Amino acid sequence: MTVLVAYASALGSTREIAQHIASRMEAARVGVECRSVDEVDSVSGYGAVVVGSAIHNQAWLPPALEFLVQHGPELAKRPVWAFSVGMSEGLPKLFRGRGAVLQQQRLEQTQFQAVPLRGHGLFSGVYEASQLSAPLRALFRLAGGRFGDLRDWAAIDDWTDGITAELAKPASPRPEA
């Protein structure tokens, strides 16, 4: 079985996470292809799909959403996992945990209705001060926000290992009609 790891990335952080996921799966002897969603014409040749997107304005990037719509019927026939890359770990400490939960719930309720998911991981990415204007940057820092590479590679590895373990399980027999 070959797994497709597809991604939509705005500034590169999501692409790097997708490549890391693919490399980790490959190290576990899973056949993997890692591609931008823009480079995928069909998912029919893949046994499973992992798809991820950066989050901007509380939503996946348009190319990732288009990927779900365009390939929805084929995705529904195979195991699919999704991951989202936002900035919940950059939020002021008081809001981090609750913010992540709310963001994950919002995404699951609004973005993934067309494709049944086996799981959804929410990870923080790289959030640079230069992404904000000087006044917003100062306000964000005053409120306790953090900038930098906020990716939790151990959490990403754990999530990936869970997928790999699930793919290694023998397929359960389908009930006869």
Side-chain angles (χ1 to χ4, degrees), residues 35 37 72 74 78 89 95 97-99 101 113 130-131 174:
R35 297 178 170 196
V37 293
E74 281 297 315
R78 57 197 31 80
E89 284 300 311
F95 303 109
R98 184 71 179 136
V101 169
Q113 298 306 306
S130 61
Q131 293 173 251
R174 292 186 175 173

Side-chain angles (χ1 to χ4, degrees), residues 94-176:
L94 181 64
F95 303 109
R96 280 183 206 149
R98 184 71 179 136
V101 169
L102 289 173
Q103 189 167 56
Q104 186 156 5
Q105 289 173 345
R106 187 177 307 114
L107 288 167
E108 290 173 2
Q109 292 169 356
T110 62
Q111 310 288 290
F112 311 127
Q113 298 306 306
V115 178
L117 298 178
R118 296 276 181 103
H120 174 229
L122 176 63
F123 308 114
S124 286
V126 177
Y127 194 50
E128 299 294 341
S130 61
Q131 293 173 251
L132 295 176
S133 66
L136 285 176
R137 190 169 44 240
L139 182 62
F140 186 73
R141 281 194 173 126
L142 281 172
R146 302 183 313 151
F147 293 106
D149 187 342
L150 306 172
R151 293 175 287 191
D152 182 345
W153 295 108
I156 294 165
D157 288 347
D158 288 346
W159 187 76
T160 303
D161 293 348
I163 295 170
T164 303
E166 194 168 334
L167 290 172
K169 292 179 185 174
S172 52
R174 292 186 175 173
E176 293 186 31

Side-chain angles (χ1 to χ4, degrees), residues 10-134:
L11 300 172
S13 182
T14 303
R15 175 182 37 84
E16 291 172 356
I17 290 173
Q19 291 169 335
H20 182 84
I21 289 168
S23 293
R24 186 145 181 109
M25 294 177 104
E26 204 168 51
R29 301 193 188 281
V30 174
V32 180
E33 286 186 26
C34 186
R35 297 178 170 196
S36 165
V37 293
D38 295 327
E39 298 172 349
V40 179
D41 295 324
S42 172
V43 298
S44 63
Y46 301 101
V49 176
V50 177
V51 59
S53 176
I55 303 168
H56 286 200
N57 298 320
Q58 300 299 313
W60 268 23
L61 297 176
L65 293 173
E66 291 170 21
F67 175 87
L68 292 178
V69 170
Q70 179 182 357
H71 300 291
E74 281 297 315
L75 290 169
K77 297 176 185 176
R78 57 197 31 80
V80 177
W81 288 265
F83 68 95
S84 302
V85 180
M87 59 162 285
S88 57
E89 284 300 311
L91 295 174
K93 194 171 189 174
L94 181 64
F95 303 109
R96 280 183 206 149
R98 184 71 179 136
V101 169
L102 289 173
Q103 189 167 56
Q104 186 156 5
Q105 289 173 345
R106 187 177 307 114
L107 288 167
E108 290 173 2
Q109 292 169 356
T110 62
Q111 310 288 290
F112 311 127
Q113 298 306 306
V115 178
L117 298 178
R118 296 276 181 103
H120 174 229
L122 176 63
F123 308 114
S124 286
V126 177
Y127 194 50
E128 299 294 341
S130 61
Q131 293 173 251
L132 295 176
S133 66

